[in-house]
Structures are given as structure tokens and as C-alpha cells.
Amino acid sequence: MTFIEFTEHITSQYQADLPFVIYRKPDISEVYAYLQQDSILHFTANYKTNGFVMASFDLTESYIIPKTASKQIKAIFQPSESDKSTEIGETALELEASKVTHLRLVEKGITAIKEGKFKKVVLSRKETIAQKNRENYILIFERMLNTYPNAFVYVWYHPQVGMWAGATPETFFSLTDNELTTMALAGTQAYLPDEEVHWRAKEKNEQQLVTDFIVASLQPVSKTLNVTSPYTVRAGNLWHIRSDIKAVKKETVSNAKLIQALHPTPAVCGLPKDAAKNFILQHEGYPRKFYTGFLGIIAEDAERKLIDLFVNLRCMELQPDKVLLYIGGGITLDSDPEEEWKETVKKAGTMKNVLGLS
Ligand SMILES: C=C(O[C@H]1C=CC=C(C(=O)O)[C@@H]1O)C(=O)O
């Protein structure tokens, strides 16, 4: 199937108001779709059903587009020069208001760290863009494919839930039979061509906290565990620090148990997990919904088990009359609120770029 034919199937699916997901895994040229043949909202509690999972940060919403209820199609996407001309404005006023709110939130987080409530918390905000862009979801998908070749790129739609799109640099975990791979991702700097990246102790420590958490969470459920040294990776207009983690999972550990052990990681929540999560739910002042949740594929049969899940970062909710961007950053003892604000502005650039806004 050509990419054009692929998009025609998606257009018919959307016109019929039926659920679908289109996605591309990092560094490959195939694009895939699950086209659900009914409009039922399917839930998954045990993550055993084959299909495409979309789970919210607080796990109150864990949906699946089941394989058995869907048509699956694929095509090859050839990268092209993307057209970035579609653009709309946003109100400076809203941005100012959200800056004050975010600075206060970060200050509260730093105070709580000083009081010993937790070591790290990831605090986020939502930015509203007065742009009617839901109908442009295919153009947005193409632009994300072109701009972020090493990201997991997707558009997900369910008539009862809404439409989400994103280009995330973070794997939650992949499982092939019992071999698990995951990553510890943290630290952010702007990508500037021809400039070398230097990480400060603050960012290195922040990333180490994430690695330590993942290792400690995987130890009880794994037979073997290996971690690479941290290295620098590019995610669009940003640099991050990353370590790769490989483990062999104990046979008896279920998907649900694994998810429970790892989600939410300190890359999106904090440390200790429960204290940071409570702080987020109490103080962020808006529901994260699917931002910092996870999404991806579950494909298990008698022969083999394949799971490929990604953390939902650098994403947006495409509502009929507006676009909502979700962005955050890790706060530790030495965080500076103004710098943290700037970091969220840079991260917002990942999605604004595909909307033609930066
Ligand atoms: C929470 C986000 O990014 C996470 C992933 C990489 C680096 C991060 C950081 O430097 O704070 C965050 O932990 C986001 O993009 O909204």
C-alpha cells in the first residue's frame, strides 16, 4: 500500500467517526494503523489483550484498540521536505498567565524538596493554542514523521475520548519474550548545531536518579540486568542524557506487574514515586490525562510475546476548536524556576514546530 492509500483509509475511518491509531516506531520507515471496526471504548486492566494500548498518567483510563476488532494496515513513508506554512497565532496573555502559575508551582516543588518530602518531582503545565487543527491530523502526522525520525510518532483517536498526537523520545519498555529493554532519560538542553553539549552535575544526578529507580524496580522481577553508561541523545531541538537498560524478566512476572513496577518513572513523576505522584495530583492544578501515560503495542501469541510501549511525552490533544500542549520538567533541589520555565518553552517547541508555530 502506498502512503497516499494509507492516508485515504485513515480519512474514511475518521469520517465514519471510528477509533484508530496511526504510528511509526523510531528509526524505521513503515507506518502502521489499527482501524477499529466498531466504536466501542475497550478497556484493558491486565494488559494481556493484543492491540494498541493508550493509558493515562493516573491509569484511570487504560484503553485498547483490540487487534481482533481492528483492521491493520501498513505503508512505507518516504521522508520529504515538509510544508510548514499552516500557522495560527496564540495569545501572549495566556502565556504570561501560565508562566506565573508555572513559576509558583516549581517554587512549591523546590520547597517540598527542601522540607524532605521527596528528592525529585516532575512538574508540568498545559498550554492552550487557539488553533482549529484537528482536521489537519494527517498533515501533523507527516510533519512529525519528517521532523522526528528517531521518535515514536503517533496520532490516536477515539470518538468518546478525543484525539492525541505526539513524537516521544522515550521508550517505556520493550519486551521480546522475556528480554526487556528500557531507558533512563533525563536532563535537557537546547540542540544547537556545531556546539558540543556539556552536562552539569545537576542534570547528571537527575538522570542517575532515574537509572537507579529503574534498576531497583526491575531487580525483583528480573533474572539478569545490565545498564549502559549515560550518553547524549538528540530529540528534535533538544539534547537529553540516556542510559539503556536490558533485563531478562522472570517468566512468572505478568505485564500488569511490570507496568506497576515501572510506571510512572522518575522521568515523568519523581522520587520517591508515591510522594511525588501525590504532590503532582494535588498541586499541578489540571489533569495530565494521557500526557506522561504510556502507549503502544501488545502482540502475544503462542509462539512469542512482543510488547513495545512508549512514554507519552512531547504530545498534544487536538480538540475540535483548540490544541492543548503538555510539557514538563524534572525539579530537584538545585532547580531554578526561571530556567525550568524556559525548559518547558523549549520542549513545547517540539509540537509547535509541527503546528507551524516556531
Ligand atoms: C517530562 C518531560 O520530559 C522528561 C523527559 C526527558 C527529560 C526531562 C527533563 O529534563 O526534565 C523530563 O524528565 C516532558 O517533555 O514533558
Side-chain angles (χ1 to χ4, degrees), residues 90-231:
E90 62 182 300
T91 48
L93 236 161
E94 257 182 79
L95 199 62
E96 269 315 300
S98 75
K99 178 171 178 180
V100 172
T101 313
H102 194 69
L103 291 179
R104 279 204 202 115
L105 175 67
V106 173
E107 275 156 19
K108 263 191 224 161
I110 297 170
T111 306
I113 293 171
K114 283 186 184 150
E115 286 167 354
K117 297 202 170 121
F118 37 78
K119 275 199 210 162
K120 173 180 175 177
V121 64
V122 177
L123 296 174
S124 71
R125 65 183 178 88
K126 186 174 79 177
E127 195 169 317
T128 306
I129 298 173
Q131 185 186 49
K132 282 190 187 164
N133 235 335
R134 187 187 264 193
E135 304 304 312
N136 289 327
Y137 66 94
I138 289 185
L139 178 66
I140 289 171
F141 184 58
E142 276 183 60
R143 284 183 181 177
M144 292 191 297
L145 293 174
N146 271 323
T147 321
Y148 305 117
N150 67 349
F152 177 80
V153 165
Y154 77 94
V155 177
W156 182 93
Y157 175 69
H158 196 293
Q160 291 175 48
V161 182
M163 186 184 279
W164 284 71
T168 177
E170 188 168 354
T171 296
F172 180 33
F173 67 84
S174 295
L175 200 62
T176 307
D177 295 324
N178 288 318
E179 284 178 24
L180 181 140
T181 53
T182 183
M183 60 172 71
L185 193 78
T188 302
Q189 279 188 52
Y191 164 80
L192 299 166
D194 309 324
E195 258 184 48
E196 253 188 71
V197 216
H198 292 287
W199 296 104
R200 293 170 298 167
K202 173 196 175 287
E203 287 135 349
K204 288 186 191 166
N205 293 339
E206 198 179 320
Q207 194 267 346
Q208 191 59 47
L209 285 178
V210 180
T211 308
D212 294 346
F213 165 87
I214 296 176
V215 168
S217 309
L218 284 178
Q219 226 128 36
V221 295
S222 307
K223 290 201 275 195
T224 62
L225 198 57
N226 290 296
V227 186
T228 65
S229 303
Y231 61 99

Side-chain angles (χ1 to χ4, degrees), residues 287-302:
R288 286 187 177 190
K289 298 190 192 170
F290 296 99
Y291 162 67
T292 62
F294 55 87
L295 73 169
I297 305 108
I298 298 183
E300 288 186 39
D301 58 29

